[in-house]
Amino acid sequence: MAEDIRPSEGIDISADSESASRRRANYALAVIFIVTMLNFLDRQVISIVAEPIKRDLGLSDTQLGLMTGLSFAVFYTTLAIPLAALADRWNRSRIIGIAIAVWSLMTILCGLAGSFIQLFLARVGVGVGEAGSAPASHSLIADLFPPERRAGALGIMGAAVPVGAFLAYAGGGYITEMFSWRAAFMLAGVPGILIAVLVWFTVPDPRGKVSLAKAFQPTPGEITLRVALLELSRKPAYWHLVAAGILVQFISYGLASFYGGLFVRVHGMDYAELGWKLGVLVGVTGGFGAWFGGKVGDIIGKRDPVLPLLVSGIVLLIAAPGMIAAIYAGNANLAIILLGFPTFSATFYFGPSFAAVQMLASDRTRAMAVAIYLMLAGLIGLGLGPVFVGGLSDYFAGGDRALEASALQKALAILALFNIWAGFHYWRVWVWMKQKRI
């Protein structure tokens, strides 16, 4: 008779299972960190290489704005809601793997583009790919980590954003200076192909195998976009929040798309130096702005839940003269330091704004309220901000290359005034919510 085999005394099988589950979750988080980092690397590298692209392909500033903003934003924002819905139903590792493979391949194709149309279409492809990554990544990490560890895990994932931005600016600038802008795109895209394979085969999804056909079946009681819009239409404060978010994105992406033009045309900086200095600036001031805005919201929000919104508006008002001072600074290093004002303000509002969205939305429309906010802010802010700056710059230059530097400065100075407009909307949110005593 075969010997009866039982677990040895003292061995805690549940503890071993929990340890294995923790290791799988930590592994998935490490891979998703890399995915998120590459997401922002591939998205932002075009900002540092825009100026050499303009010279090489003979583009106008308006075309630069279309290429950096609208081409990416249209599908990135409009596909976000349906892909987020799919991420709630299908295997998220599959979605992330497909997404990173698509945007990485399209980033490589950006480096092979020989005309404005080719580059525009390749950027559209980058936007299509990146639209599927963030919703699935957030959902997967939330499922893999228990509530008591979830905030920390999502915080680690969020830390990949400034890392990706730093690599885009520093790495992209160095490679452009040493080789070419085409090499910068190609080297940015290649790692994603490898990571896509890694995600597909090695990152677990607790949901297991779900057929794509089943994932597309409607869910009873699901909140539709129409229902959410109908409910939110009765809340003016929400739409003031959306307007403020649109304007902040309009400013930040309009400025970021012409970093290279400002520093190369006005100050004559090389791309390697510009890249690492911008990388440090964005990583430090942008990261600190998001953290500090959240902290301020938590501290003063305990006494008055809507006061952080007024503070966000004041920060934007201060950013307007700071941005103008940076644009007209006498030297490049001073300009980079002064750019800390608009970069800080562009992330300070995150915490207070999204907390306010949660207060204004009902339990059944909270997720959709965030999705609508992000869609409109991205489509209009990211999509049209760079086009606005580029169009104004071309108008002021009037086709004279000798005036391109001063024309871009004028366009960016006008853009800086939009901070005041955004501040007005935060003031209106504060007034409306105080009157309603929310």
Side-chain angles (χ1 to χ4, degrees):
M1 180 181 294
E3 183 179 353
D4 185 16
I5 300 175
R6 295 184 177 87
S8 301
E9 292 185 11
I11 296 179
D12 189 342
I13 296 178
S14 63
D16 288 344
S17 177
E18 182 180 346
S19 177
S21 177
R22 183 183 288 258
R23 285 196 301 270
R24 286 194 297 271
N26 289 337
Y27 172 77
L29 177 60
V31 176
I32 296 300
F33 180 95
I34 298 173
V35 170
T36 306
M37 179 187 71
L38 292 175
N39 181 304
F40 278 80
L41 166 61
D42 290 1
R43 181 189 308 188
Q44 292 297 109
V45 70
I46 197 167
S47 297
I48 197 68
V49 302
E51 195 65 13
I53 291 174
K54 172 184 170 73
R55 302 303 179 203
D56 193 14
L57 299 183
L59 306 183
S60 66
D61 280 348
T62 303
Q63 287 176 310
L64 278 186
L66 288 167
M67 179 187 66
T68 56
L70 191 63
S71 62
F72 178 87
V74 170
F75 286 97
Y76 176 74
T77 54
T78 55
L79 286 176
I81 291 178
L83 288 176
L86 181 61
D88 284 337
R89 302 172 181 177
W90 197 42
N91 186 293
R92 289 155 293 187
S93 297
R94 299 289 185 262
I95 295 174
I96 297 167
I98 293 170
I100 189 171
V102 170
W103 92 59
S104 298
L105 177 60
M106 290 299 172
T107 301
I108 294 172
L109 291 179
C110 286
L112 298 174
S115 68
F116 167 72
I117 294 298
Q118 291 175 1
L119 191 53
F120 184 93
L121 292 175
R123 283 286 292 172
V124 168
V126 174
V128 169
E130 294 198 3
S133 174
S137 295
H138 278 84
S139 175
L140 180 59
I141 294 302
D143 267 6
L144 287 171
F145 286 84
E148 65 272 15
R149 296 180 59 208
R150 194 171 294 155
L154 290 171
I156 291 172
M157 178 181 159
V161 173
V163 175
F166 173 80
L167 290 176
Y169 291 128
Y174 177 80
I175 293 168
T176 299
E177 187 69 27
M178 295 296 103
F179 303 100
S180 69
W181 62 268
R182 296 183 183 278
F185 275 123
M186 292 179 186
L187 289 176
V190 167
I193 304 296
L194 303 176
I195 297 300
V197 176
L198 192 69
V199 171
W200 185 280
F201 289 106
T202 70
V203 173
D205 186 334
R207 192 175 292 155
K209 295 181 179 180
V210 180
S211 71
L212 195 56
K214 184 177 179 181
F216 278 108
Q217 291 177 358
T219 302
E222 185 176 31
I223 296 300
T224 64
L225 179 61
R226 180 179 175 276
V227 171
L229 286 172
L230 184 62
E231 178 184 305
L232 294 169
S233 66
R234 297 189 289 268
K235 299 180 178 181
Y238 173 78
W239 296 105
H240 279 294
L241 272 177
V242 171
I246 288 172
L247 289 167
V248 173
Q249 296 271 36
F250 191 90
I251 298 160
S252 60
Y253 280 104
L255 174 60
S257 295
F258 288 93
Y259 276 149
L262 177 65
F263 285 94
V264 173
R265 297 180 204 178
V266 177
H267 301 290
M269 288 184 72
D270 64 63
Y271 299 107
E273 180 186 6
L274 174 61
W276 77 260
K277 287 182 177 179
L278 277 178
V280 172
L281 165 80
V282 172
V284 173
T285 58
F288 179 71
W291 173 83
F292 190 64
K295 282 293 182 183
V296 168
D298 285 343
I299 293 170
I300 66 177
K302 291 178 181 177
R303 182 164 49 93
D304 184 347
V306 299
L307 187 58
L309 298 167
L310 184 61
V311 175
S312 297
I314 294 171
V315 168
L316 287 166
L317 293 179
I318 297 172
M323 183 171 165
I324 293 173
I327 292 163
Y328 287 102
N331 64 75
N333 288 331
L334 178 60
I336 286 179
I337 292 171
L338 290 173
L339 276 177
F341 285 99
T343 308
F344 174 86
S345 69
T347 58
F348 180 91
Y349 78 105
F350 283 171
S353 293
F354 286 111
V357 169
Q358 297 303 312
M359 282 191 285
L360 288 165
S362 66
D363 288 343
R364 67 175 190 158
T365 59
R366 281 178 176 169
M368 192 62 77
V370 172
I372 293 169
Y373 177 104
L374 292 174
M375 181 182 71
L376 293 176
L379 185 61
I380 302 173
L382 167 58
L384 298 183
V387 180
F388 174 82
V389 175
L392 270 184
S393 179
D394 285 338
Y395 172 78
F396 289 133
D400 187 345
R401 292 193 63 176
L403 298 177
E404 284 185 343
S406 61
L408 181 58
Q409 286 178 305
K410 290 178 184 177
L412 290 172
I414 291 173
L415 180 71
L417 300 178
F418 281 66
N419 283 288
I420 300 172
W421 188 2
F424 164 78
H425 284 291
Y426 275 115
W427 172 69
R428 291 304 303 162
V429 178
W430 176 73
V431 169
W432 194 92
M433 294 182 74
K434 287 290 287 185
Q435 289 174 345
K436 296 296 181 179
R437 303 185 186 280
I438 294 178

